[in-house]
Structures are given as structure tokens and as C-alpha cells.
Amino acid sequence: MRYFRPLSATAMTTVLLLAGTNVRAQPTEPTPASAHRPSISRGHYLAIAADCAACHTNGRDGQFLAGGYAISSPMGNIYSTNITPSKTHGIGNYTLEQFSKALRHGIRADGAQLYPAMPYDAYNRLTDEDVKSLYAYIMTEVKPVDAPSPKTQLPFPFSIRASLGIWKIAARIEGKPYVFDHTHNDDWNRGRYLVDELAHCGECHTPRNFFLVPNQSAYLAGADIG
């Protein structure tokens, strides 16, 4: 089973306040709600919608996106990583391609598999444009933090990260960028994209099947957490 920190109230509020932008975040005519919208970059907006800080910032006293938050599981604590642009302890040396592989496919720059506490089975349907915007935000707007986060050290056999590659194949953890559903309007498509991909609501709110991936036949029907 996955173990996630729920979407924070701040992130949820911001997503709702910024709901005037479509899936590709194109400008729209001002509305009473959007007229007071915070002036932030597109990548910053996407990072809030994805609630990156919920797991990659260690509580109120942790440095922003510097990792170290312990995600508790029956196998042991899985510590979030430093995703600031630090070149010594963060992802400052990642290329866009490496960033995309980690985000969408759960594979680090060194080729190691990421534990599925990282919801890459939702993020793998992010559009190319959104991945580029997130990358640009982290690399140019986030302050680098040159400090290591604790290493995840799970007991055998969970310590064998390579086995996750087999699990991904068996569980069909693979997806393609979101495809616009022309049977619905722009608002519906943008909402579906936010719910299923960026905000990954189903990771907590959909029960899991035998392979411990969301059971889409019970989409958003609720699930046990932890």
C-alpha cells in the first residue's frame, strides 16, 4: 500500500483560487475570483497543484523542498528527497530528461528505482509542457539547499530497489501524457487533469487492487490509508 501525506489545505485552497486557468494554463479573461489571483509562474502554480511541498518539506521547520519528511510504512520509513536545485544534495545536476524520468517513471538520474511513495503512476500522464514548466520552476525559482536528507534504508527484501522494475511491469505502472477528451469541455478536462494527475487525489481516495495500484472500478470510492 502507498502512504501519502494528504493534500495540504494551503495547496487545495490555492488550486481552487487558481481554477481560472485551463489545463495548459493559458490566459483567460479576468473574473471576480481570478482578478485577485496571486502573480506566480506557471511552474510554481503546477508545483502547488501537485503539492510537492507536502512530502518534500519536512514539517514547519524544514527547509523548502529540501526533503527529510518521513513517510511511515509497515516496511519502515521512506524519506523524501531533496529536490532543490542544489548540485551537491539536490537535483541541480538533473537534465530535463532525467527530471522527467524521475517524475513520470520513478527512475533517478543514477538509474535507481524510486519507491512508489512518489506518485509517479499519476505523474506519468503529465503533459510535456507541464513537465518543462515544473523543471524550470525548480531550477530557477527554488532556493538550493546544500544539505542531505536522510537515506531510506528499508529491510530486506524491500531494500532491493531493482525489484520495483518488475513490479512496475506487473502492475502496469506506465502511462502516456494526458489526452484531451473531446466529449467534454475545457473545464471538465482541466478538472480531470488536476484530480487524476497533478493533485493525484486517487492515490489516497481510491482503493487498491492485488498489485497495490488504484482500482479504477472503484474510482475515488475511498480507501484505507496506512
Side-chain angles (χ1 to χ4, degrees):
M1 172 171 279
R2 299 284 188 74
Y3 301 86
F4 295 98
R5 180 185 288 189
L7 192 68
S8 69
T10 300
M12 184 63 75
T13 301
T14 306
V15 170
L16 293 174
L17 286 174
L18 298 179
T21 2
N22 62 23
V23 170
R24 296 183 177 275
Q26 297 293 336
T28 58
E29 290 298 320
T31 63
S34 64
H36 303 288
R37 183 181 306 151
S39 178
I40 62 175
S41 72
R42 186 166 176 277
H44 189 179
Y45 157 67
L46 294 169
I48 293 172
D51 210 12
C52 303
C55 286
H56 287 280
T57 302
N58 187 16
R60 294 182 180 274
D61 299 326
Q63 298 192 72
F64 184 62
L65 298 185
Y69 175 69
I71 301 171
S72 179
S73 82
M75 291 80 74
N77 286 338
I78 299 172
Y79 290 96
S80 63
T81 55
N82 181 333
I83 60 168
T84 73
S86 166
K87 292 184 179 296
T88 56
H89 295 99
I91 60 172
N93 294 315
Y94 272 53
T95 64
L96 173 59
E97 182 181 2
Q98 290 170 332
F99 177 80
S100 178
K101 286 186 71 174
L103 190 67
R104 288 166 153 171
H105 307 296
I107 300 174
R108 296 189 320 206
D110 63 1
Q113 299 281 346
L114 292 174
Y115 288 108
M118 170 71 172
Y120 42 77
D121 58 335
Y123 292 158
N124 62 22
R125 292 182 294 277
L126 293 178
T127 64
D128 292 343
E129 186 179 2
D130 283 352
V131 172
K132 290 177 183 178
S133 293
L134 282 165
Y135 178 77
Y137 163 68
I138 288 176
M139 293 302 178
T140 62
E141 297 183 51
V142 173
K143 176 184 175 182
V145 178
D146 297 325
S149 58
K151 291 186 178 296
T152 297
Q153 296 180 322
L154 300 183
F156 181 84
F158 308 111
S159 58
I160 304 176
R161 289 178 179 261
S163 63
L164 289 167
I166 300 173
W167 171 75
K168 288 177 183 178
I169 296 172
R172 298 182 179 180
I173 304 297
E174 188 60 45
K176 297 180 180 180
Y178 184 84
V179 176
F180 193 94
D181 185 346
H182 292 281
T183 63
H184 297 280
N185 63 21
D186 288 359
D187 287 342
W188 185 94
N189 275 276
R190 180 173 177 279
R192 184 64 182 262
Y193 183 74
L194 285 170
V195 168
D196 286 356
E197 275 66 78
L198 277 170
H200 50 279
C201 302
E203 296 295 326
C204 287
H205 291 279
T206 299
R208 296 183 177 274
N209 62 21
F210 175 78
F211 291 105
L212 301 181
V213 294
N215 179 3
Q216 294 305 317
S217 65
Y219 178 67
L220 300 183
D224 292 331
I225 303 299

